């Protein structure tokens, strides 16, 4: 490892490190615009110039490898003049838009102009004007502000894997564009705004709504998929104004999907903010006491085996724990959190989590995807696979739907029969040092899902994907609630019914009462004449069918625990309060339990979380992945010949919050696959 001297301080850095990294290791601050630690080196802004002894001119530190014995100066007069000159050049054509620019207060150019610029300019020529480019409903462009750092281009190619941005022209005529001026189709497209060091790219839905210093910032967890991306929720008063990524190297690094980022307007519309009771075929607003009384009256005299509860995809762990405890106390074995009917057994944790972990993808050298389209189901996880693929030496095979995954793969077949003979790819898995198998919900949420799961586990063991120090068997979930629900045992008890059984029983009048906890993705027409309680946040399918509506809190409105697809428990924090009379879901269930005569044994969040940790100890290990133990041998079953299909038909409209979002509706209308294919 080379040793060098930076401003009189000797530092030792890893082989291949740049001078910029060496300077930062020594505590020196190096300004930059084009350099980003997660992107390839461009070396085109020159703001990071430093002086290296024996070099005839200042050196771009981001592009110069650190060498043994180098002597570097970052605060000399030569460096100061060089940076002032670069800043003067950057500001020649940059407009004086700061008072109306959405980047104001968070702009790298503003900050560095203050720190490294001068108070005047020697250029009196007219500023260049550049026509704005259309990049879709999410990214707003004012290209006159662009300083050609090319971060957006490199991100679209290297992280998103969708090379839709590029540069045309040279020198002063250079412009960043989508070439044909169509919308960016990547599910990660809006991350380019975070990367843009100036106001050339801003958030279209957020334009001119708030300044950063007006916003109250809360660290939380995303619930739009099962990745558990770390986010920061910015709010003003009672409203969420924007959602930004938060750094977590093990989960989402510093990226989030477009749905995660822009679903916030759906938190305001079509909200349930007061209880409702159905009378004479119509819903009327009611008090909490009236709603609870109606539920208690319906439950009176009903046997436990005729009562059921279903937890949906957006339910937090606290609310699911309270739901299970309440209905177990009522004698019901008919409890299920697998809203889509996935054949997963809560008794074997290793069989339903992403054992390799998300960060562990980078250690894999062969990946088999079974019944999943990770680009639509978990864009952040798909980006991690692309990151590994770009390093080279990774083989990817797909059994299931053909999809544009942003990296090359071998297509092995459409359905589960292909698992019996993977051909040459089977040898690839066997010869790999760290093979991985990823099973999606498209393979598990079908009648032969249990057989597919058993076959996938057997395959993982046969190719050496499961051994000491490496568990390459993984289940990719799409619902933020699913792993937490399975951990807490929200599956049918002895003689109980799963979701399909509950719907079948309700249609045959064998189930008289159904409690839906944020469960909207089921066939409501099959509930028959059952008395339905819907507890949730939006007026979606469940609310339309309900006899009693209990308004709950969205994921940004409560302190809650979320368990992601790899089994990592994370804490989300309340950024705003629920609207109107809506309350946190576990408190609603606690109050209901007292009304129906089975009071739950916890009165506060601390006691509830203690009960959760008692039921599943890993709930006490926040932000840690607790190993799940040995992978079980499951009984083999008959495999259907039907092809696998991804459950995600429209990435932007997968849950009630997204369906209430005007921004997501615009994205769906413009970026639906059929629309894109027609344009091509």
């Amino acid at each position: 490892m080379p040793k060098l001297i930076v401003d009189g301080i000797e530092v030792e850095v890893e082989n291949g490190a740049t001078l910029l990294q060496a300077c930062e290791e020594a505590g020196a601050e190096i300004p930059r615009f084009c350099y980003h630690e997660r992107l390839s080196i461009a070396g085109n802004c020159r703001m990071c110039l430093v002086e290296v002894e024996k070099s005839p001119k200042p050196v771009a530190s981001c592009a110069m490898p650190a060498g043994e014995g180098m002597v570097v100066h970052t605060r000399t007069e030569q460096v100061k003049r060089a940076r002032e000159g670069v800043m003067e050049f950057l500001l020649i054509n940059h407009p004086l838009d700061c008072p109306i620019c959405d980047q104001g207060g968070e702009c790298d150019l503003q900050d560095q102009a203050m720190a490294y610029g001068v108070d005047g300019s020697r250029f009196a020529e007219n500023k260049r004007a550049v026509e704005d480019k259309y990049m879709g409903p999410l990214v707003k462009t004012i290209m006159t502000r662009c300083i050609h750092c090319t971060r957006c281009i490199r991100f679209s190619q290297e992280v998103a894997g969708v090379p839709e941005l590029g540069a045309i022209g040279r020198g002063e005529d250079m412009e960043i564009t989508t070439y044909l001026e169509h919308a960016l189709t990547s599910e990660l497209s809006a991350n380019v705004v975070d990367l843009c060091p100036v106001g050339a790219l801003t958030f279209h839905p957020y334009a001119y709504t708030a300044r950063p210093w007006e916003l109250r910032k809360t660290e939380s967890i995303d619930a739009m998929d099962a990745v558990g991306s770390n986010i920061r929720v910015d709010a003003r008063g009672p409203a969420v104004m924007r959602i930004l990524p938060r750094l977590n190297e093990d989960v989402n690094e510093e990226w989030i999907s477009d749905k995660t980022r822009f679903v916030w307007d759906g938190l305001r519309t079509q909200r349930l903010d007061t209880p409702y009771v159905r009378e004479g075929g119509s819903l009327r607003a009611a008090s909490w006491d009236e709603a609870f009384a109606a539920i208690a009256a319906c439950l009176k005299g009903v046997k436990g085996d005729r009562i059921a509860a279903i937890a949906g995809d957006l339910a937090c762990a606290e609310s699911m724990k309270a739901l299970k405890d309440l209905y177990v106390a009522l004698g019901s074995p008919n409890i299920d959190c697998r809203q889509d009917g996935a054949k997963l057994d809560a008794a074997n944790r290793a069989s339903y989590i992403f054992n390799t972990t998300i960060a562990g993808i980078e250690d894999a050298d062969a990946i088999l995807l079974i019944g999943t389209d990770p680009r639509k189901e978990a864009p952040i996880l798909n980006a991690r696979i692309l990151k590994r693929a770009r390093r080279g030496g990774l083989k990817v095979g797909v059994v299931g739907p053909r999809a544009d995954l942003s990296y090359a793969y071998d297509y092995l077949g459409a359905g589960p029969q292909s698992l019996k003979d993977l051909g040459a790819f089977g040898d690839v898995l066997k010869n790999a040092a760290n093979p991985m198998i990823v099973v999606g919900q498209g393979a598990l949420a079908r009648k032969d899902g249990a057989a597919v799961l058993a076959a996938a586990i057997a395959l993982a063991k046969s190719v050496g994907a499961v051994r000491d120090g490496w568990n390459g068997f993984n289940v990719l979930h799409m619902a933020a609630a699913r792993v937490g629900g399975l951990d807490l045992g929200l599956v049918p008890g002895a003689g109980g019914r799963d979701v399909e059984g509950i719907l079948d029983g309700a249609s045959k009048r064998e189930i008289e009462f159904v409690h839906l906890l944020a469960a909207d993705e089921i066939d409501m027409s099959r509930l028959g004449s059952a008395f339905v309680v819907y507890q949730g946040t939006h007026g979606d399918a469940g609310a339309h069918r309900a006899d009693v509506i209990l308004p709950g809190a969205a994921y940004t409105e409560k302190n809650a625990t979320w368990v992601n697809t790899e089994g990592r428990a994370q804490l989300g924090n309340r950024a705003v309060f629920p609207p109107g009379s809506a309350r946190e879901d576990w408190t609603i269930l606690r109050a209901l339990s007292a009304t129906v005569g089975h009071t739950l044994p916890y009165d506060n969040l601390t006691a509830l979380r203690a009960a959760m940790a008692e039921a599943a100890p890993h709930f006490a290990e926040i932000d840690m992945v607790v190993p799940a133990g040995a992978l079980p041998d499951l009984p083999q079953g008959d495999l259907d010949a039907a092809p696998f299909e991804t459950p995600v038909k429209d990435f932007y409209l997968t849950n009630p919050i997204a369906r209430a979002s005007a921004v997501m509706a615009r994205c769906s209308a413009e970026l639906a696959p059929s629309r894109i294919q027609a344009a091509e």
mmCIF file with all atom_site columns, all heavy atoms in Angstrom, residues 333 492-496:
data_model
loop_
_atom_site.group_PDB
_atom_site.id
_atom_site.type_symbol
_atom_site.label_atom_id
_atom_site.label_alt_id
_atom_site.label_comp_id
_atom_site.label_asym_id
_atom_site.label_entity_id
_atom_site.label_seq_id
_atom_site.pdbx_PDB_ins_code
_atom_site.Cartn_x
_atom_site.Cartn_y
_atom_site.Cartn_z
_atom_site.occupancy
_atom_site.B_iso_or_equiv
_atom_site.pdbx_formal_charge
_atom_site.auth_seq_id
_atom_site.auth_comp_id
_atom_site.auth_asym_id
_atom_site.auth_atom_id
_atom_site.pdbx_PDB_model_num
ATOM 1  N N  . PRO A 1 333 ? -58.637 -19.612 14.498 1.00 0.00 ? 333 PRO A N  1
ATOM 2  C CA . PRO A 1 333 ? -57.391 -20.119 13.913 1.00 0.00 ? 333 PRO A CA 1
ATOM 3  C C  . PRO A 1 333 ? -57.181 -19.596 12.486 1.00 0.00 ? 333 PRO A C  1
ATOM 4  O O  . PRO A 1 333 ? -56.188 -19.933 11.843 1.00 0.00 ? 333 PRO A O  1
ATOM 5  C CB . PRO A 1 333 ? -57.621 -21.631 13.895 1.00 0.00 ? 333 PRO A CB 1
ATOM 6  C CG . PRO A 1 333 ? -59.098 -21.765 13.651 1.00 0.00 ? 333 PRO A CG 1
ATOM 7  C CD . PRO A 1 333 ? -59.762 -20.562 14.315 1.00 0.00 ? 333 PRO A CD 1
ATOM 8  N N  . PRO A 1 492 ? -52.327 -19.696 9.528  1.00 0.00 ? 492 PRO A N  1
ATOM 9  C CA . PRO A 1 492 ? -53.439 -20.423 10.155 1.00 0.00 ? 492 PRO A CA 1
ATOM 10 C C  . PRO A 1 492 ? -52.980 -21.343 11.280 1.00 0.00 ? 492 PRO A C  1
ATOM 11 O O  . PRO A 1 492 ? -51.936 -21.997 11.186 1.00 0.00 ? 492 PRO A O  1
ATOM 12 C CB . PRO A 1 492 ? -54.021 -21.222 8.983  1.00 0.00 ? 492 PRO A CB 1
ATOM 13 C CG . PRO A 1 492 ? -53.629 -20.454 7.766  1.00 0.00 ? 492 PRO A CG 1
ATOM 14 C CD . PRO A 1 492 ? -52.297 -19.859 8.080  1.00 0.00 ? 492 PRO A CD 1
ATOM 15 N N  . GLY A 1 493 ? -53.748 -21.354 12.328 1.00 0.00 ? 493 GLY A N  1
ATOM 16 C CA . GLY A 1 493 ? -53.489 -22.277 13.422 1.00 0.00 ? 493 GLY A CA 1
ATOM 17 C C  . GLY A 1 493 ? -54.019 -23.659 13.095 1.00 0.00 ? 493 GLY A C  1
ATOM 18 O O  . GLY A 1 493 ? -54.421 -23.942 11.959 1.00 0.00 ? 493 GLY A O  1
ATOM 19 N N  . ALA A 1 494 ? -54.046 -24.529 14.095 1.00 0.00 ? 494 ALA A N  1
ATOM 20 C CA . ALA A 1 494 ? -54.517 -25.901 13.889 1.00 0.00 ? 494 ALA A CA 1
ATOM 21 C C  . ALA A 1 494 ? -55.949 -25.887 13.363 1.00 0.00 ? 494 ALA A C  1
ATOM 22 O O  . ALA A 1 494 ? -56.848 -25.321 13.995 1.00 0.00 ? 494 ALA A O  1
ATOM 23 C CB . ALA A 1 494 ? -54.435 -26.679 15.198 1.00 0.00 ? 494 ALA A CB 1
ATOM 24 N N  . GLY A 1 495 ? -56.147 -26.482 12.200 1.00 0.00 ? 495 GLY A N  1
ATOM 25 C CA . GLY A 1 495 ? -57.479 -26.520 11.598 1.00 0.00 ? 495 GLY A CA 1
ATOM 26 C C  . GLY A 1 495 ? -57.920 -25.201 10.997 1.00 0.00 ? 495 GLY A C  1
ATOM 27 O O  . GLY A 1 495 ? -59.081 -25.071 10.595 1.00 0.00 ? 495 GLY A O  1
ATOM 28 N N  . GLY A 1 496 ? -57.008 -24.226 10.917 1.00 0.00 ? 496 GLY A N  1
ATOM 29 C CA . GLY A 1 496 ? -57.377 -22.911 10.409 1.00 0.00 ? 496 GLY A CA 1
ATOM 30 C C  . GLY A 1 496 ? -57.324 -22.806 8.898  1.00 0.00 ? 496 GLY A C  1
ATOM 31 O O  . GLY A 1 496 ? -56.811 -23.680 8.204  1.00 0.00 ? 496 GLY A O  1
#
